[in-house]
Amino acid sequence: MKKFIVKSTLRAILLLAFLYVSSKDSYACDTCTGHSPGDTWCDSGILYSCNTCSPEACIGSPPSRCYVDPSQVQSNWEDCDFTCPADAVGKYTKIEGTCSCTPTAPSIPDLQVPDDNAVSGPDYDVSTSGYQVFLDWAPLAYWGNNCFPGGSQNHYYELYVGTSPIGLVNGLPLARLHKTNNGSQFSDFTGIPGTTYYWTVVADNGAFESAPAPVRSFIVNTAPLATFVSPSIGNQPPYNVTSIVAGVPTTFSVTASDTTNNLTSTRILARKFRQQGSNWVWDMPNWLVLGETNACAGGSCSLSANWSPNANESGNWWIVTQVTDTADVALSPYGKCSGDPGDANIISPLDYPDSPFTTWSNCGNQSRVRVFVASQVTVRGYLWNSTNRQCSVNPANYALNATSINESNIFVRISNVPEVPWQPNATGYNYLIQNVTHNPASPTKVISTSNFTPRNLPNFRYQLTCAWGNNASVTGTSVRFDTTSTSVNTVHLGYKLVSTGWFTSVNGNVYGGYTDGSNITPSVEVGIPLAADIPLFNGYLIEGAKVVIGNESLSVKNPLGNTRYSSSGKAIKLLHANDTWPQSYDFIPPSNAVSLSFDDCAAAMYGDYTLHTDKVYLVTTQCLLSGFNTSAGDYVVDSVNGGRIAVMYVRPAGANVLRFNRDIKSSNNNRILFVSQAPVEIVRNIGVAAPSLSTPPNLEVSIISKGGIRFIGTTDSLNSPDTSLVIEGPLVTGGASNATIHFDRDRGTNNGHPAEVVVYNPDYLYYLTKQERDSTRPNYTGLSVAKINWEYLE
Amino acid sequence: MKKESGQTLLMVVVIMVIVLTIGIALSWRVLSNLSRTSSTDTSARVRAVAEGGAENFLNKSLSELQQAAVLCDGNYNSGVPVECQIDFPAQQGTDPIASYAVVTVVPYGAGTNALPISSSASEVVEVNLTGYNGNFIVVCWNENTVLKYTEYSDTDVKTDVRKCRNCNLALQLENIPEAQPGSAYGQSARQCVRVNNVAGNLQGLRLTSLGGTSNFTIVPRNGSLPIQGYKITSVGQLDDETAFQPIKQTVVVSKSLPYLPLMFDFSIYSDTGVLD
């Protein structure tokens, strides 16, 4: 009951309150029910405004609310009692007031493609022929608040691209490349291959820009390159490899490279072509893959492929390289390369429409080679003796055999083919070389042999003079010929016996004094060429009806074995004389000899000091050499009492050798006779090219030497042959054991000319005798002798 | 017993006679040898003196010999010219006796007579032909040798070789003809060679015997040979006026005119070595 009373009481209170309020509203038109004039408020979704109310202004029946001025209701206002959303505070205006609106920035964009540090650029835009790099970022999740009605209309992405990162390189900002409110990608960027670009995206909501996305970089892809490292090719077109041989493996090796370090594969391809009329056309429908690797990575990749073409594959081939990298896209040439067809110097096959190069970039000039696959033939023939024979004779009748030569073997070689020993006992040939390539485009081969010398003819050598074969000709020590397609090519090589260099005496006797008692070792040994090979002499040791004398045997023969002493053929052998050298010839100058000063001695050699025939002089090797080196002037010998010979004793001092290194000429008909204790040498650089019987001597002197005389000769007669030296005689050695005269000059292939010509000058005999007999001094030259007989009478 | 004593005495006497005889003989032999030794020693000394005199003239030049041939012609009736006598004074302590040589110098070889001249093996000898006006010269010899001969002038030189006739030689020859028989030139020699004069002013004919010694005879034809040399006769003796019969020794030396040795006949000549 009590509860009931309480509840009833509370209800009554509430009812009274309600009634109070209700009576108040109905009345509060003037008071705006507690609102002050000017206030607006919502009540149950209705907008109220408390104006300066007057009763008549009250509306409603009963008038309960103030008048609401419709002009106060903005069309875009939210509904009465609109609650400003938490995430867009201030964005809205509502009737009862304005949301509190503070603009906010968009979130930071998220870059998607390409990856940071990526190699990019696979897209190929034919219209621009450049790299199209696709840039993509994620649609922005939060644009912030620009406090603009309909604010999304001001949402933009700004794309920045440059070659330097922001703030990293000289503080330069990236340049804004693009601004869009349409999508989150950009596909029109054209980069330079190999260049590193930095990029970022900024979101802009019209009020604020976002912070830039973390800067990424990418490298615009470069196409690979390739170079053949084997076989070797030149740096310039046409990049031919001479030939490879069918059946013989050939290694083709290439090295691919890519500056963007993203190689993926390398291939070596081959394709045969042929000439058709004036054009070249492919001779096979497809490219033959010689080698391939898909294991390439990074910036370098090597590939080797062995190719052993079949015999039926002989002909012209192009060998090319193809390389791809990670940017390989079907229609783009920038991620792959191939042998370059674009060189104007390259023949047309690579311009053929079927070539694989139309969508490939150029791997470089070294990325392809043109080869000829040659077939192999056998070359055989005779090495034969063509001495004194026409080259047209049947070589089989004059084939060299084992007894023809000193050597145990002869090796025959053709360029690029291993040499083989000859086969002197074979039938139909005496050499045979197999597996010789035949290349119709370059059929010329060079065949040669190892050195071999004739047996028992020490002063001769074999000189290649005849060549028989297809377009065969002799070139030095080898034969050039053209191979033919026949399986066996025949080439004969004819060798003529020629002198190794010979000397001749003009109008003077010759004496060789060597004695070893063997009756075998020749005292005079010289090989005289065949007369037909000698242009200006008659082919004798002695020109003139003189005599040759040997203390032992003589070997003065032409290659046919005929002796060639002189036109009279007179010779004396096995003389075995032991005492032909006068005891008084001891090379000690006579007491009356005038010792010349160094300067006078030197000057005498070029005419600045005059010698006289009634005097004998003593000089040194050193001062003579100084004179030879100072001037090439002629020496002067003045005649006294009709004499014409000045005698000059030479002793070694300062130089061990009396070396004549230039022409020594007399200014008149008078002469010098050198009596030298020192060995004598005549250097190579004096001489004439084509001496004759009347050629003036290079050395207008006579020499008597104790230590021997040597005509220095070449060590390479083929490439550096000597000239001919003409000197006056008597040319004498003696007074010591084994005092020899070595005629070492060699005219090489011009050995038809004598290498040394000794012209006997009888003036030395006549005038020295006369001078001795006219002199008031007994034996003033030290060179005369007399026959003295003693008789004792009892 | 008495008889036996007499025999003993006889034997003693006989032995003594024999011993005495032997002693006298030995003494005589010693005295004889002493005399002979003294004579031989003196002879050797004067021979040396003669040789010294000759050698003194051998060392003279040709022009000096030509002068000596005028002064020392051997006509010494009015005394020996000092130029023709070579004195060897006494040497105090070693040779107390002075000596001297009287020298005569005479040219030889000139004229139309045949000139003998010898050549040992491989030795060249020279016949002076300066001024020779003959048609040619014949050289004859008898030995089994080969003759190489060279005639020369101021403008020409000619060499040839001939071998002995019908002879065997140790050395080997190629294309060397035999010499002519001596009879071909009216000579008794086994073989001869005719040497035709070369052009120009003749100076000499040089002969070399190959294969052994040759004794050549040079026969001028229709001309006279010039002087070939000088014969030096030197007589040596002691300067001892008291000597009853002074010992003399005579040396005769012939010296040819100077000439050049063998190698000057050759344009190329190696005495001991090879030519190659």
Side-chain angles (χ1 to χ4, degrees), chain A residues 578-587 704 732-735 779 782-786, chain B residues 122-124 259-264 269 271:
Chain A
N578 296 317
D579 54 356
T580 62
W581 194 256
Q583 289 185 348
S584 60
Y585 272 45
D586 54 6
F587 295 89
I704 300 175
V732 178
T733 63
N779 199 10
L783 299 176
S784 68
V785 296
Chain B
S122 301
E123 179 195 24
V124 65
Y259 60 94
L260 297 178
L262 181 63
M263 67 277 288
F264 283 86
Y269 185 98
D271 179 53

Side-chain angles (χ1 to χ4, degrees), chain A residues 467-517:
Chain A
W468 193 98
N470 182 37
N471 293 328
S473 62
V474 175
T475 303
T477 58
S478 59
V479 163
R480 299 173 68 89
F481 70 101
D482 291 346
T483 54
T484 66
S485 59
T486 57
S487 59
V488 176
N489 286 212
T490 301
V491 179
H492 302 304
L493 287 73
Y495 290 85
K496 182 172 71 175
L497 287 165
V498 298
S499 173
T500 55
W502 58 291
F503 60 94
T504 189
S505 166
V506 177
N507 293 325
N509 305 304
V510 174
Y511 182 94
Y514 179 75
T515 299
D516 67 355

Side-chain angles (χ1 to χ4, degrees), chain A residues 187-249:
Chain A
S187 60
D188 292 333
F189 174 73
T190 300
I192 300 172
T195 302
T196 299
Y197 292 91
Y198 300 84
W199 70 294
T200 188
V201 172
V202 173
D204 184 358
N205 62 9
F208 282 106
E209 290 182 344
S210 71
V215 174
R216 287 188 175 185
S217 66
F218 61 89
I219 302 173
V220 178
N221 187 53
T222 56
L225 296 172
T227 299
F228 270 104
V229 295
S230 173
S232 176
I233 58 176
N235 293 324
Q236 299 296 325
Y239 312 113
N240 282 348
V241 172
T242 303
S243 68
I244 62 175
V245 181
V248 177

Side-chain angles (χ1 to χ4, degrees), chain A residues 6 12 34 254 271 302 337 540 598 622 644 656-657 668 740:
Chain A
V6 172
V254 296
R271 196 173 184 186
S302 296
C337 72
Y540 295 110
F598 188 96
Q622 190 177 32
R644 287 175 52 177
N656 294 327
V657 176
N668 50 33
T740 59

Side-chain angles (χ1 to χ4, degrees), chain A residues 479-603:
Chain A
V479 163
R480 299 173 68 89
F481 70 101
D482 291 346
T483 54
T484 66
S485 59
T486 57
S487 59
V488 176
N489 286 212
T490 301
V491 179
H492 302 304
L493 287 73
Y495 290 85
K496 182 172 71 175
L497 287 165
V498 298
S499 173
T500 55
W502 58 291
F503 60 94
T504 189
S505 166
V506 177
N507 293 325
N509 305 304
V510 174
Y511 182 94
Y514 179 75
T515 299
D516 67 355
S518 67
N519 296 347
I520 295 175
T521 305
S523 293
V524 181
E525 192 175 66
V526 58
I528 308 293
L530 291 173
D533 296 334
I534 302 174
L536 300 172
F537 287 77
N538 297 307
Y540 295 110
L541 171 62
I542 302 171
E543 293 284 348
K546 305 294 181 180
V547 61
V548 55
I549 300 175
N551 230 12
E552 289 289 347
S553 62
L554 299 171
S555 177
V556 182
K557 298 179 180 178
N558 69 9
L560 303 179
N562 302 324
T563 56
R564 302 292 292 177
Y565 300 126
S566 66
S567 58
S568 67
K570 293 175 180 174
I572 299 172
K573 300 183 287 187
L574 308 183
L575 183 63
H576 291 168
N578 296 317
D579 54 356
T580 62
W581 194 256
Q583 289 185 348
S584 60
Y585 272 45
D586 54 6
F587 295 89
I588 297 173
S591 59
N592 54 290
V594 178
S595 182
L596 288 183
S597 68
F598 188 96
D599 290 342
D600 288 345
C601 160

Side-chain angles (χ1 to χ4, degrees), chain A residues 505 509 511 513 523 525 565 569-571 573 580 731 736 739 742-743 760 766 773 785 787 789 791-793, chain B residues 51 59 122-123 126 160 172 174-175 203 250 252 254 256 258-259 261 264-265 267-272 275-276:
Chain A
S505 166
N509 305 304
Y511 182 94
S523 293
E525 192 175 66
Y565 300 126
K570 293 175 180 174
K573 300 183 287 187
T580 62
L731 195 61
H742 291 298
F743 298 92
Y760 181 69
Y766 179 87
R773 291 177 182 178
V785 296
K787 182 73 173 176
N789 288 319
E791 185 180 3
Y792 293 89
L793 302 180
Chain B
E51 290 174 342
N59 289 329
S122 301
E123 179 195 24
E126 182 165 326
D160 213 337
Q172 293 183 1
E174 291 190 46
N175 302 307
Q203 183 159 277
T250 301
V252 179
S254 60
S256 71
Y259 60 94
F264 283 86
D265 288 348
S267 62
I268 305 172
Y269 185 98
S270 173
D271 179 53
T272 57
L275 306 176
D276 61 5

Side-chain angles (χ1 to χ4, degrees), chain A residues 173-188:
Chain A
L174 299 177
R176 191 175 77 181
L177 177 67
H178 182 62
K179 183 175 182 179
T180 181
N181 60 357
N182 183 21
S184 58
Q185 64 182 30
F186 183 68
S187 60
D188 292 333

